[in-house]
Amino acid sequence: MHHTVKTLGKETIIYSISNIIVRGCSYLVLLLQTNLLTPSAYSIITEFYGSYIALGHVIYDLAMDVTYLRFVHRLGKSYTFNAVITILLVTSFIFSILLIVFIPQIAKLTNHLVHIRYFYYMTGILILDTLLMIPLARLRVEKKTFEFLLVKFLQSFAHIIFSFVLLYCPICLNSIAYWISNGLHIQIALNELDAVFIANLLSSVTALALLFAQFQGFYWVWHGHTMAMIGRYATTSFFTILFFKVNETLPLLCFRKLVPNNFYTTHTKEEILGNFGTSCKLTVCITLGIQAFKYAAEPFFFANSDRKEAPRLYSQTMYVFILVSCFCLLLLSINVDWIAKILIPNARYRYTIDTVPYLAFVYILLGIYYNLSTAFKLSNHTQYNTWISAWGSLVIGLTAFLMIPRFGHWGCVYASMSGAVAMGLLGYYMGQRCYPIPYPKQGFLILLFTFLVFRKIPLWRTQLAFLGIGWSYICLHTTILILFSILAVIWKKSTKLKK
């Protein structure tokens, strides 16, 4: 069993390294954007990518990546790949036609009539990313880690190059406008925001070209029984993922509408939204690990579901996840000030960095819920996932409605945290009824302890100021390292005793 957990850990580390490289490239793109755009202009990027494109991905993807992982071993790699790709090609075409037809109404509803062309860019991004999804999932299933990492890296590197060229070489952007004018007979003046979307489109095209070999031998599959079976499983997973994504995006989606115009004395609410969107990206060290864990854990959970010791295996996985996540959160809380100065050199974007540890804590809670939701997947009660996610959306919506007008961007934090806590508690209760897993209670105590500690870290830094900045940081880091080392040793000894 320890060997199996170690294998999962190794795969998580591999994906973490790849994600660090990819996110490092994304950070460079962020630097290029924030160096040129004002916080008010960047708020448009935050809203489109943080809300509209994020939700669009869920609708276009239709949970087919999870469905592919579920059926690939049952129906065969080639057949499952072709069946899922067939579904996505048909649905993407339908969704894109509907989206293009209703873009004027959507732009009016979201108060973005001035930015209506960005919705057309969004459509292209959604189509390309949907086509990339299953080939990347196929590489994960086939354990072609190097190929997976290479594609992700080259896509990210292309994003940097295209962003730099389009943002800082106006002649290139003007050339694209000239091509659109002559080729499509549409007169348009492109700006820096256009460059952001176009760079994304071009990087996705690059990744699709690299994965073109995955589509060789593709044939249409439309067998009624297969499609019905895939559709039944995907439907429940789709609504679960949809509500889950609504939980993430709803506070940002509501921010501009709920915050009064004169709420902030020194900033406009658009500038705060741009700041807050940047702060969300500073949780990168936590979100990277959780995303890497998901990449490795999805095949792992399904592959080990038939083993007798599976419940205890999942219990150990949860404890390790909490231990590592909490350790990283405390390190982030201690160092967030100087990390922000390095990663966001433009001081205009550092107004909301005090929210970063709380945002990271929310992602950890969602990662814990992801572990808990394993019980629903393995017991074929995935509908509970949907209802719990819907419950989280309701809690977040109500909290956002009450908190955002009163607390501004902190209301977004409170809403997200309340929804994650509600989902975690209900997920634990329902999961134990469907598929009992003996989760170690000390893991949840560590989580509570971490929350209480990181809220006091700014106070501790003040109280240890007499040691000097350097020694106070050393003292805090050493204390956390010793504490979590002791917890890890105790866990290792207890698991040996249980064998």
Side-chain angles (χ1 to χ4, degrees):
M1 186 180 297
H2 274 294
H3 175 72
T4 309
V5 176
K6 286 181 180 178
T7 301
L8 176 61
K10 289 178 182 177
E11 292 183 0
T12 300
I13 291 172
I14 292 172
Y15 284 119
S16 293
I17 293 172
S18 74
N19 281 332
I20 288 171
I21 295 173
V22 170
R23 286 299 181 92
C25 294
S26 299
Y27 159 70
L28 292 177
V29 172
L30 176 66
L31 274 183
L32 293 173
Q33 294 171 354
T34 55
N35 186 54
L36 200 62
L37 299 173
T38 64
S40 181
Y42 191 77
S43 70
I44 297 171
I45 301 298
T46 297
E47 192 168 347
F48 268 82
Y49 278 88
S51 299
Y52 311 137
I53 292 179
L55 289 172
H57 273 138
V58 177
I59 295 171
Y60 269 71
D61 294 351
L62 290 172
M64 284 297 157
D65 52 344
V66 178
T67 306
Y68 172 78
L69 292 172
R70 181 62 172 172
F71 288 100
V72 66
H73 298 295
R74 184 187 304 181
L75 301 177
K77 294 179 181 178
S78 179
Y79 185 83
T80 308
F81 178 85
N82 291 324
V84 172
I85 290 295
T86 299
I87 293 172
L88 288 176
L89 286 174
V90 173
T91 55
S92 294
F93 176 78
I94 295 172
F95 292 154
S96 298
I97 294 298
L98 291 173
L99 184 57
I100 291 171
V101 168
F102 289 103
I103 277 178
Q105 289 80 4
I106 295 171
K108 184 177 181 180
L109 181 66
T110 57
N111 295 323
H112 281 295
L113 279 173
V114 178
H115 312 122
I116 191 170
R117 64 179 180 272
Y118 302 154
F119 287 98
Y120 292 101
Y121 295 138
M122 182 182 78
T123 306
I125 291 169
L126 292 174
I127 293 171
L128 291 171
D129 288 351
T130 302
L131 292 176
L132 289 171
M133 178 179 60
I134 302 304
L136 289 171
R138 188 180 194 177
L139 294 178
R140 288 164 53 199
V141 168
E142 295 175 353
K143 303 295 182 182
K144 294 181 179 179
T145 311
F146 177 76
E147 289 88 339
F148 178 88
L149 304 184
L150 182 63
V151 172
K152 296 293 285 184
F153 170 73
L154 291 177
Q155 180 183 12
S156 301
F157 184 71
H159 198 182
I160 295 173
I161 299 301
F162 288 127
S163 295
F164 177 79
V165 169
L166 294 176
L167 284 169
Y168 292 87
C169 301
I171 189 172
C172 297
L173 200 61
N174 293 336
S175 298
I176 293 176
Y178 178 80
W179 177 83
I180 293 174
S181 175
N182 285 272
L184 302 177
H185 304 289
I186 300 175
Q187 297 295 328
I188 188 171
L190 301 180
N191 56 37
E192 291 86 355
L193 292 174
D194 292 283
V196 171
F197 290 101
I198 294 172
N200 191 344
L201 282 167
L202 293 176
S203 65
S204 296
V205 170
T206 302
L208 192 61
L210 293 170
L211 289 168
F212 184 76
Q214 294 287 323
F215 292 94
Q216 290 183 354
F218 167 75
Y219 57 89
W220 286 82
V221 173
W222 201 266
H223 298 153
H225 176 70
T226 301
M227 295 303 167
M229 183 171 57
I230 290 176
R232 281 194 299 270
Y233 182 86
T235 299
T236 304
S237 299
F238 165 73
F239 283 107
T240 302
I241 296 171
L242 177 63
F243 284 122
F244 206 89
K245 187 57 67 175
V246 168
N247 296 345
E248 292 183 17
T249 60
L250 191 57
L252 284 178
L253 198 61
C254 296
F255 182 83
R256 275 199 312 136
K257 292 187 177 295
L258 293 179
V259 174
N261 289 327
N262 298 323
F263 184 83
Y264 298 98
T265 56
T266 57
H267 298 78
T268 65
K269 60 182 179 182
E270 287 78 17
E271 290 173 333
I272 294 297
L273 180 58
N275 269 263
F276 190 63
T278 308
S279 296
C280 291
K281 294 185 178 181
L282 279 182
T283 60
V284 61
C285 61
I286 301 294
T287 54
L288 275 179
I290 293 174
Q291 184 181 21
F293 175 81
K294 285 183 178 180
Y295 277 146
E298 283 175 350
F300 168 81
F301 286 145
F302 289 125
N304 290 279
S305 59
D306 295 330
R307 296 179 59 176
K308 183 179 179 181
E309 65 273 23
R312 193 151 62 92
L313 187 64
Y314 299 145
S315 171
Q316 293 182 9
T317 302
M318 172 71 91
Y319 185 85
V320 173
F321 175 83
I322 292 176
L323 193 68
V324 174
S325 299
C326 290
F327 176 70
C328 293
L329 175 59
L330 288 177
L331 290 184
L332 174 65
S333 302
I334 293 173
N335 300 289
V336 66
D337 291 335
W338 65 264
I339 289 175
K341 290 179 181 178
I342 294 174
L343 297 183
I344 308 178
N346 191 338
R348 293 184 299 174
Y349 284 91
R350 295 202 296 265
Y351 183 77
T352 61
I353 59 168
D354 52 344
T355 63
V356 172
Y358 294 87
L359 294 170
F361 184 71
V362 171
Y363 282 114
I364 292 174
L365 292 176
L366 294 174
I368 290 171
Y369 175 75
Y370 175 79
N371 277 275
L372 294 170
S373 67
T374 303
F376 308 132
K377 297 174 184 177
L378 298 177
S379 61
N380 293 320
H381 288 92
T382 50
Q383 69 273 15
Y384 290 143
N385 242 336
T386 305
W387 289 112
I388 292 173
S389 299
W391 165 247
S393 297
L394 179 62
V395 172
I396 289 175
L398 290 174
T399 311
F401 183 77
L402 295 173
M403 294 289 185
I404 291 178
R406 185 176 179 183
F407 298 105
H409 62 282
W410 275 105
C412 295
V413 177
Y414 299 147
S416 298
M417 191 176 297
S418 63
V421 170
M423 288 171 61
L425 292 175
L426 190 56
Y428 178 82
Y429 173 73
M430 296 300 297
Q432 293 301 91
R433 296 182 62 181
C434 296
Y435 189 95
I437 297 174
Y439 290 118
K441 302 298 187 293
Q442 59 267 33
F444 300 111
L445 291 176
I446 291 172
L447 182 71
L448 178 61
F449 168 79
T450 302
F451 175 73
L452 296 175
V453 168
F454 84 76
R455 294 175 62 246
K456 300 295 183 181
I457 280 178
L459 179 62
W460 288 0
R461 282 202 299 259
T462 303
Q463 292 179 342
L464 294 174
F466 68 92
L467 296 174
I469 295 178
W471 284 108
S472 63
Y473 271 82
I474 291 173
C475 180
L476 288 172
H477 282 83
T478 304
T479 302
I480 291 171
L481 182 60
I482 292 173
L483 175 62
F484 277 84
S485 297
I486 292 171
L487 292 172
V489 170
I490 292 173
W491 170 76
K492 191 171 183 181
K493 288 183 177 179
S494 66
T495 52
K496 285 183 178 180
L497 291 173
K498 289 178 182 178
K499 280 188 171 183

